[in-house]
Amino acid sequence: MRQMLACAAILFMASSLEGHACSITTPCIVDERNYYVALPKPANLPAPAVVYIHGWGGNGQAALRNKDLITVFLERGFAVIAPDGVPREGRSGRSWGFHPQSGRQLDEIDFLRSVKEDAIARFNLDSTRMILAGFSIGGSMTAYTACLAPKAFAGYAPLGGNFWRPHPTQCEGPVHMLHTHGWSDGTVPLEGRVVNGVPMDDPSAFAQGDIFHTMSIWRATNNCTQMKADKFSMNGPFWRRSWNHCDTGSSLELAIYPGGHSIPKTWPSLVVDWFEALHSD
């Protein structure tokens, strides 16, 4: 009997370790796709987390090799979860079905939800304190998730990417949204651009959205009472505009920094400070 109990205990421990074996270098597998995870040390469980969506041509494992990106999150007690997009046909790297015409938006959102739930179960994460963030088209995937499934995450922090044309006519909302963008971004300009080389008025134009128009969509989504921002501040490199007179349980902020299409070293601190301020009461 004792031998049976001992064997059962060993099997239980082995299965538990196997469930937690995925890491920065070893993938967790959900819906036949991968995600990678970096955990804070010492873990203050249940820990908050950032689900970070890589940009065009990237992948989750490469995202976690960016020490400037993950170190601050980890030091502030946040797990960092980096899922893989889908393979690009005929190319290396991965992408996301973020665009309204892709036909894959809802599948991608379901995958991100599955990643979230799997990570919560594996690593004892706090489901009420999970941010979805992303860079470039990862930012666009973040924005469309916020638009179509606002309750999937507690906050949304796209960087250098948001909606594409045609802009959504409405979103489900409301949400907590922090959009960050480089003032001189030429890859995803604040006004957007056509990326397939045809005129803007051509029906086949594949065009990025206008960030200023995008902010008006988020103001409407959050039922903000006025167009102009309620608060202006400068923190480090970021010029910040906040809309505070909006629906309860929502917030909206635009942060502009000097620079192009890049991830500022202080962006993780900005995201954590913003998110923790929402939960300070």
Side-chain angles (χ1 to χ4, degrees):
M1 183 65 177
R2 287 182 180 177
Q3 285 184 328
M4 291 177 63
L5 290 173
C7 289
I10 291 171
L11 288 172
F12 175 77
M13 291 174 63
S15 64
S16 297
L17 290 171
E18 183 180 358
H20 291 74
C22 43
S23 64
I24 292 178
T25 56
T26 303
C28 305
I29 301 174
V30 174
D31 297 340
E32 299 182 351
R33 287 167 66 178
N34 295 341
Y35 75 87
Y36 298 82
V37 61
L39 296 173
K41 296 179 181 180
N44 183 16
L45 301 175
V50 176
V51 177
Y52 176 79
I53 309 177
H54 64 77
W56 189 72
N59 61 71
Q61 187 176 24
L64 293 189
R65 288 199 293 265
N66 184 342
K67 299 300 183 185
D68 289 335
L69 174 66
I70 71 169
T71 299
V72 170
F73 286 130
L74 297 177
E75 289 177 345
R76 299 284 292 270
F78 282 71
V80 185
I81 299 160
D84 277 346
V86 294
R88 298 185 301 170
E89 186 175 352
R91 300 185 179 203
S92 61
R94 293 173 176 269
S95 187
W96 297 91
F98 66 93
H99 195 274
Q101 296 172 358
S102 70
R104 299 207 323 262
Q105 279 185 325
L106 296 180
D107 291 339
E108 298 287 49
I109 292 171
D110 285 344
F111 170 62
L112 293 172
R113 282 192 179 117
S114 295
V115 167
K116 172 190 169 184
E117 295 304 322
D118 187 78
I120 289 170
R122 286 179 189 263
F123 304 109
N124 190 17
L125 303 179
D126 186 344
S127 62
T128 68
R129 294 189 296 156
M130 297 191 76
I131 306 167
L132 185 66
F135 174 60
S136 195
I137 65 167
S140 296
M141 191 71 249
T142 300
Y144 284 110
T145 302
C147 183
L148 298 172
K151 295 182 180 180
F153 293 85
Y156 297 88
L159 166 65
N162 211 290
F163 294 136
W164 284 53
R165 290 176 167 87
H167 300 92
T169 55
Q170 67 179 53
C171 291
E172 297 295 327
V175 296
H176 291 294
M177 167 70 63
L178 166 65
H179 178 84
T180 309
H181 217 100
W183 177 255
S184 56
D185 192 331
T187 302
V188 185
L190 286 162
E191 301 80 8
R193 68 183 178 97
V194 177
V195 299
N196 61 346
V198 303
M200 178 70 80
D201 58 358
D202 190 306
S204 66
F206 191 55
Q208 300 159 351
D210 184 303
I211 296 302
F212 299 106
H213 181 61
T214 289
M215 297 307 290
S216 73
I217 296 171
W218 289 119
R219 287 196 299 271
T221 299
N222 284 356
N223 288 317
C224 300
T225 59
Q226 56 188 12
M227 291 185 291
K228 75 178 186 70
D230 303 301
K231 181 180 178 182
F232 303 85
S233 63
M234 294 177 61
N235 299 94
F238 300 104
W239 289 39
R240 302 169 67 174
R241 303 165 61 91
S242 305
W243 288 262
N244 301 325
H245 297 106
C246 308
D247 275 355
T248 301
S250 73
S251 62
L252 178 61
E253 184 166 330
L254 172 65
I256 300 293
Y257 61 93
H261 197 63
S262 61
I263 304 174
K265 289 185 177 181
T266 51
W267 177 72
S269 293
L270 173 73
V271 172
V272 173
D273 289 344
W274 163 77
F275 189 71
E276 289 187 340
L278 300 177
H279 295 79
S280 60
D281 296 334

